Amino acid sequence: MARKYLVEAYGCQMNMHDGERLAGLLESAGFEATTDPADADVIVINTCSVRERAEEKLFTRLGEFREAAQAVGNSPVIAVTGCVAQQEGAALLKRSRLIDVVVGTQRVKQLPMLVTRALEDTVGPQVDINPHEDVSFPLGIARRADTVKAYVNIIEGCNEFCAFCVVPYTRGHERMRPAAEILAEVREAADKGHREVQLLGQIVNHYQAPDDAECDFAGLLEKVHEVPGVERIRFASPHPRHVTPRLLEAYQALPKVCRHLHLPVQSGSTRVLAAMRRRYSRERYLEIIQDVREAVPDICLSTDMIVGFPGETAADFDDTLSLTEAVRYHSMFSFKYSPRPRTLAIKRMADDVAEEEKTRRIVELQALQRRIQSDLLQQSVGRTETVLVDATSRRRDHELSGRTSGNTVVNFPGEQSWLGKLAQVRITAAGPNSVRGEVVQVEGS
């Protein structure tokens, strides 16, 4: 009987895709998937360390998994992978005897070998967090969790070293995948019915193909656009500094590139942006937004924002509020600043904004964003939008959902056979985070 595995991943889209790759690697080694931790021979926790308390979440989950397994007399091998694994390494073994394997972000291909050794109990706990330059990955290995959308990594690591960010220390320096390898993966995903491709990288729009000197990020979009079967192209996350005229021209020329741009700003204050080492000012960011909207008038914008960064004053926070008002984002991921290991901020900057003040600021910012977002969603009522149907509701029978090109979630009644199809949906009502509609026409009908 084949041994069984369970992979649980937290964090960003790249982490989710790493979880798909880990699952595929284990299956290629003869393991079978299970969703029941009590039934698993191997449990893999793919961690994220971008936010505070990631380690505490890990150890809480370890205890829950072990308790479920012991209730049925099972004793699975537990492997910790991802950014916390890379960050902490062997120190994790000192904090918990429940961990059998620690695998860093650049050594995931070693997971099957390491868990097999641990299952055989021949050499004790296994740790491999060594940096590794190879960013290639076996074609078709990912066990994709989504039947409609496919994640495809194009860059590993980051060279920006923003003061608050742990990614360069957990993911390593920037390494580009060859364009030929990326396109082979896109074709493989499209051949299996994935109609939307999401290109992933820490600074995705900094891409430059190592195997084609003329292929920058816009050039890669052009190549992906030509792949038969791909209907939509998304990407995450770009950096404002690398929003080039070439990228905007690609938006204009390539209809499959979705009319959505997630452009993290992090703060509305030039002074705070300088302290964060973002290498653009408030004014420059707003100029970029203007350029984007002039080139792509129907673009929908989203962003990331941090409040309470070291030294942020009330006036700095007011700048964040006014920038949010000026840009009018369709959605926002906002966070209270938390010190992360090894970053410039934790080494050189006092975390001097009181927790109560951070909470007050995040509540005010989120209230503002909700008002803006609700207004923008309300404006969509009465329109007919093209929606890629990508999910069924867990709560309502005959309820489907999908996203517009601008990344708005649309819920509507329909049939499961519509999954993966494009539908024309008339928007009838707006909620705080999504809209409802009724189908006018479904592809193929």
Side-chain angles (χ1 to χ4, degrees):
M1 184 178 296
R3 289 165 166 167
K4 296 183 179 180
Y5 77 90
L6 182 152
V7 174
E8 188 167 282
Y10 311 126
C12 66
Q13 293 164 316
M14 187 166 285
N15 260 31
M16 296 299 110
H17 184 43
D18 282 348
E20 294 176 337
R21 287 173 155 187
L22 291 165
L25 287 167
L26 290 169
E27 289 189 7
S28 69
F31 292 83
E32 292 182 356
T34 181
T35 58
D36 184 0
D39 192 38
D41 298 287
V42 176
I43 295 175
V44 181
I45 305 177
N46 193 44
T47 59
C48 173
S49 64
V50 170
R51 304 304 332 145
E52 195 175 18
R53 299 188 180 90
E55 295 88 344
E56 285 75 7
K57 182 176 182 178
L58 164 64
F59 291 115
T60 297
R61 201 68 178 124
L62 285 171
E64 292 169 349
F65 278 142
R66 185 67 82 185
E67 184 178 337
Q70 289 178 342
V72 296
N74 192 15
S75 182
V77 162
I78 294 183
V80 177
T81 63
C83 291
V84 172
Q86 186 69 42
Q87 176 181 294
E88 301 295 326
L92 290 174
L93 302 177
K94 297 178 182 179
R95 293 186 60 182
S96 175
R97 295 182 180 179
L98 301 179
I99 300 172
D100 303 292
V101 175
V102 178
V103 182
T105 55
Q106 300 173 54
R107 299 293 284 175
V108 294
K109 283 183 279 190
Q110 305 304 309
L111 179 70
M113 177 187 69
L114 296 174
V115 298
T116 299
R117 286 180 182 174
L119 284 164
E120 295 170 353
D121 197 25
T122 56
V123 289
Q126 305 286 293
V127 178
D128 190 345
I129 61 169
N130 295 321
H132 189 58
E133 295 300 313
D134 182 17
V135 295
S136 65
F137 224 84
L139 181 63
I141 200 71
R143 181 179 177 270
R144 300 193 187 277
D146 195 306
T147 60
V148 179
K149 297 175 285 189
Y151 294 133
V152 177
N153 277 15
I154 69 169
I155 301 177
E156 293 281 353
C158 183
N159 294 345
E160 290 289 327
F161 289 91
C162 298
F164 55 81
C165 187
V166 72
V167 167
Y169 308 99
T170 59
R171 289 276 181 178
H173 65 85
E174 195 172 68
R175 288 105 60 214
M176 315 286 185
R177 285 182 77 191
E181 184 177 319
I182 293 167
L183 292 169
E185 186 172 349
V186 170
R187 285 191 289 268
E188 185 265 345
D191 288 345
K192 291 183 176 179
H194 296 88
R195 305 193 73 188
E196 179 174 300
V197 170
Q198 298 192 18
L199 305 177
L200 303 179
Q202 256 66 48
I203 307 294
V204 69
N205 55 333
H206 196 221
Y207 180 79
Q208 177 62 56
D211 57 335
D212 183 349
E214 296 184 356
C215 182
D216 59 2
F217 182 63
L220 182 65
L221 290 176
E222 291 168 356
K223 293 176 184 295
V224 173
H225 195 274
E226 295 172 0
V227 175
V230 173
E231 294 294 333
R232 285 189 169 177
I233 304 168
R234 298 189 191 273
F235 53 88
S237 281
H239 193 289
R241 291 198 312 114
H242 303 296
V243 175
T244 63
R246 279 266 298 151
L247 176 57
L248 299 183
E249 289 167 6
Y251 265 108
Q252 293 173 321
L254 307 175
K256 293 180 183 179
V257 176
C258 289
R259 270 37 190 171
H260 169 240
L261 179 61
H262 183 76
L263 200 60
V265 62
Q266 308 299 357
S267 174
S269 162
T270 293
R271 195 184 67 82
V272 173
L273 289 170
M276 289 178 166
R277 295 180 53 149
R278 292 292 289 173
R279 295 196 278 177
Y280 54 80
S281 65
R282 169 196 176 94
E283 292 74 22
R284 178 59 190 139
Y285 182 87
L286 290 172
E287 288 173 358
I288 294 167
I289 294 296
Q290 183 177 348
D291 291 343
V292 169
R293 285 198 160 130
E294 287 178 356
V296 194
D298 59 343
I299 198 81
C300 295
L301 298 169
S302 59
T303 198
D304 298 334
M305 199 77 81
I306 296 171
V307 304
F309 188 76
E312 183 188 72
T313 65
D316 292 324
F317 177 64
D318 286 343
D319 285 346
T320 290
L321 294 177
S322 65
L323 183 137
T324 301
E325 287 268 24
V327 177
R328 292 180 64 79
Y329 297 103
H330 280 74
S331 63
M332 175 188 291
F333 297 98
S334 55
F335 310 93
K336 294 188 289 186
Y337 169 76
S338 59
R340 306 312 300 136
R342 300 174 64 184
T343 60
L344 180 69
I346 198 173
K347 292 177 181 177
R348 300 185 185 178
M349 303 176 189
D351 185 13
D352 56 358
V353 179
E355 188 64 25
E356 296 80 5
E357 180 61 16
K358 288 180 184 178
T359 299
R360 188 197 69 76
R361 291 177 187 179
I362 198 77
V363 167
E364 184 175 357
L365 175 61
Q366 290 177 348
L368 170 61
Q369 176 57 31
R370 280 195 301 272
R371 291 195 297 273
I372 294 169
Q373 191 168 311
S374 294
D375 182 45
L376 292 172
L377 291 176
Q378 189 63 44
Q379 291 176 24
S380 70
V381 174
R383 296 178 192 162
T384 297
E385 297 277 5
T386 302
V387 174
L388 178 60
V389 186
D390 60 21
T392 57
S393 173
R394 297 179 180 177
R395 295 178 295 177
R396 299 182 183 180
D397 292 337
H398 304 292
E399 176 90 346
L400 302 175
S401 70
R403 292 179 184 267
T404 66
S405 178
N407 208 39
T408 297
V409 175
V410 184
N411 302 296
F412 50 92
E415 303 298 327
Q416 189 164 357
S417 61
W418 296 354
L419 277 173
K421 294 185 177 181
L422 293 169
Q424 299 299 311
V425 181
R426 187 173 68 85
I427 309 304
T428 58
N433 301 301
S434 62
V435 298
R436 289 193 60 78
E438 54 187 26
V439 173
V440 176
Q441 186 176 10
V442 178
E443 184 180 24
S445 63

